[in-house]
Amino acid sequence: MAKLTILEFPDPRLRTKAIPVAAVDDELNALIDDMFETMYAAPGIGLAATQVDVHWRFLVADVSPDQSQPHALINPVILEKDGVRVSEEGCLSVPGYYEDVQRAEHIRVKFLNREGDPVEMEADGLLAVCIQHEIDHLDGKLFVDYLSEAKRQRIRKRLEKSRRHQAAAAM
């Protein structure tokens, strides 16, 4: 397995809309393993392929405290949403920033599993929020898009300044 590089806002590749996965095969499953390793090491609870510059429609998630409930969703589609939940979200592509975002409390989602079999799953609470957040990535959307333009620009400028300082320190 290999740790992958996570793209960071405002990288334009994060705005790429992912295309459906054509075949569930060994290559895809190896990439899913790499994404789990990357997500756990970050540490995070979800990671969309778009975030590692792979523009196929799949994501990984594990909201369990002991990393014991991994989910890989290939070609996910939300079938139903209900309820409202406002919770603080962060993002591995927007490191260090957390903001309240409104999402559905409960979802029903269909996807292919790692064997290529169709599955439907109900999710609520944090898992539902995580899946919605990651599907947004697959659609080229970030959690900062739910914020005001002023707040989004402030975050962008701070991240760009931080990257410049890191680059200068590395020289």
Side-chain angles (χ1 to χ4, degrees):
M1 291 199 297
K3 227 171 96 185
L4 305 169
T5 300
I6 297 172
L7 301 177
E8 292 185 3
F9 177 73
D11 192 308
R13 294 172 291 180
L14 289 167
R15 300 301 185 175
T16 305
K17 188 169 168 90
I19 61 171
V21 171
V24 178
D25 56 18
D26 291 343
E27 177 188 2
L28 178 67
N29 275 298
L31 187 52
I32 288 171
D33 288 338
D34 290 345
M35 284 180 56
F36 273 118
E37 180 182 351
T38 303
M39 178 188 75
Y40 289 138
I45 61 169
L47 187 64
T50 302
Q51 291 176 272
V52 294
D53 202 22
V54 174
H55 303 286
W56 297 342
R57 198 162 182 83
F58 70 96
L59 64 93
V60 297
D62 187 344
V63 300
S64 66
D66 60 354
Q67 301 176 345
S68 64
Q69 298 172 20
H71 298 277
L73 285 69
I74 302 163
N75 297 335
V77 174
I78 295 175
L79 301 173
E80 293 177 11
K81 294 180 179 185
D82 61 67
V84 174
R85 176 185 174 121
V86 175
S87 55
E88 188 177 67
E89 287 187 28
C91 181
L92 296 176
S93 292
V94 190
Y97 290 90
Y98 302 89
E99 295 288 340
D100 285 343
V101 176
Q102 181 176 307
R103 302 222 184 241
E105 170 69 26
H106 176 265
I107 62 170
R108 189 164 59 90
V109 60
K110 73 174 182 177
F111 57 94
L112 300 177
N113 65 17
R114 293 185 73 165
E115 290 75 43
D117 299 323
V119 175
E120 282 192 23
M121 178 176 81
E122 305 268 336
D124 57 13
L126 184 57
L127 182 57
V129 167
C130 181
I131 291 170
Q132 291 170 84
H133 176 110
E134 302 310 331
I135 288 175
D136 274 356
H137 277 298
L138 299 176
D139 293 332
K141 188 171 185 176
L142 297 161
F143 92 99
V144 295
D145 296 340
Y146 291 91
L147 308 177
S148 70
E149 179 65 25
K151 194 172 273 191
R152 190 169 42 255
Q153 289 304 323
R154 226 175 6 260
I155 291 170
R156 172 194 298 260
K157 286 180 177 146
R158 287 182 186 154
L159 286 172
E160 288 172 339
K161 183 178 179 181
S162 173
R163 277 194 284 282
R164 282 194 306 273
H165 281 90
Q166 288 171 357
M171 292 181 163

